[in-house]
Amino acid sequence: IYYPSIPLYLSGNFLILLIFLSVMVKLVSDWHYNLYIVTTRKILKVSCSPLFSQTISEVLLDQVRVIEVNVKIKNFVHVLLDMGDVVIVFDRPSHEEMFVIANIEDPGATGDFLTHAFELIMHSSPVWFHPRDTKHLYKLTEDVYERPHTES
C-alpha cells in the first residue's frame, strides 16, 4: 500500500494509539475508584469516575433480610487473576435488586466472611429472628379437652 504522506500516516497512528490509551486509562480508573464499605448497619458502594460522575448506593441492613450470598467468577482470566463478584440477594418485598460487589480479589474468602457476618447480624436482630427461649419450648397444662361426640 502506498502512503502519500509519511507525517500524515504517523500522526494518524499516533492519534489512534492516543485514543486507545485514553480509553484504557478510563476503564482502569473506573475499576480502581470503586469502594465498598460493609458495616453492621449498612452496605455502601461508592463508584467514582474521575472528572465524570460519582454514584453512592447503600442498603440499610436493619430494613432488609439477606437471603443468600453468591460468588461468581466470570471466565478463565478471572480465575487466573483470582478476581470475581460477590452477589448479595435480599428478600424481594423490601429490596428488589441484588447488590453486586464487582471485580474484587479473592471473592471466595470475601463471600464466606460476608455470609458468616450477615448470619450473626440477622440472628442478633430482633426484627427478623425471634430469640429462642430453650427453657420454655414446651408448655405443660392439665387441661383435658374432650372430643365432641357424634351420634351415628
Side-chain angles (χ1 to χ4, degrees):
I1 299 175
Y2 174 72
Y3 294 106
S5 173
I6 298 290
L8 182 63
Y9 172 74
L10 290 176
S11 63
N13 283 342
F14 180 71
L15 181 65
I16 291 172
L17 180 66
L18 187 64
I19 290 171
F20 176 75
L21 288 177
S22 64
V23 168
M24 291 304 292
V25 167
K26 169 86 170 90
L27 289 174
V28 169
S29 68
D30 287 348
W31 170 77
H32 181 70
Y33 287 107
N34 279 341
L35 177 68
Y36 299 98
I37 301 170
V38 180
T39 65
T40 56
R41 295 194 55 218
K42 69 172 106 176
I43 305 171
L44 189 72
K45 176 184 178 182
V46 179
S47 299
C48 181
S49 296
L51 301 175
F52 291 102
S53 68
Q54 180 177 354
T55 305
I56 299 173
S57 61
E58 67 179 12
V59 175
L60 297 173
L61 291 176
D62 58 350
Q63 295 179 359
V64 296
R65 182 175 176 192
V66 177
I67 301 296
E68 61 186 47
V69 177
N70 298 324
V71 175
K72 181 170 56 172
I73 299 175
K74 296 176 185 172
N75 54 33
F76 182 69
V77 175
H78 283 95
V79 171
L80 289 177
L81 296 175
D82 195 21
M83 290 180 66
D85 300 343
V86 176
V87 181
I88 304 168
V89 181
F90 302 102
D91 61 340
R92 294 294 177 210
S94 62
H95 194 78
E96 289 295 323
E97 55 204 43
M98 297 181 290
F99 195 87
V100 179
I101 301 175
N103 295 326
I104 60 169
E105 183 181 352
D106 198 9
T110 305
D112 288 340
F113 175 76
L114 289 177
T115 300
H116 295 300
F118 289 145
E119 186 175 330
L120 290 174
I121 290 170
M122 293 297 152
H123 281 291
S124 66
S125 174
V127 174
W128 300 113
F129 292 99
H130 182 68
R132 288 193 173 182
D133 187 9
T134 57
K135 294 178 186 175
H136 304 289
L137 285 178
Y138 302 103
K139 184 176 182 181
L140 299 175
T141 63
E142 294 183 14
D143 297 334
V144 177
Y145 298 103
E146 293 184 18
R147 280 190 191 170
H149 295 291
T150 58
E151 295 190 29
S152 48

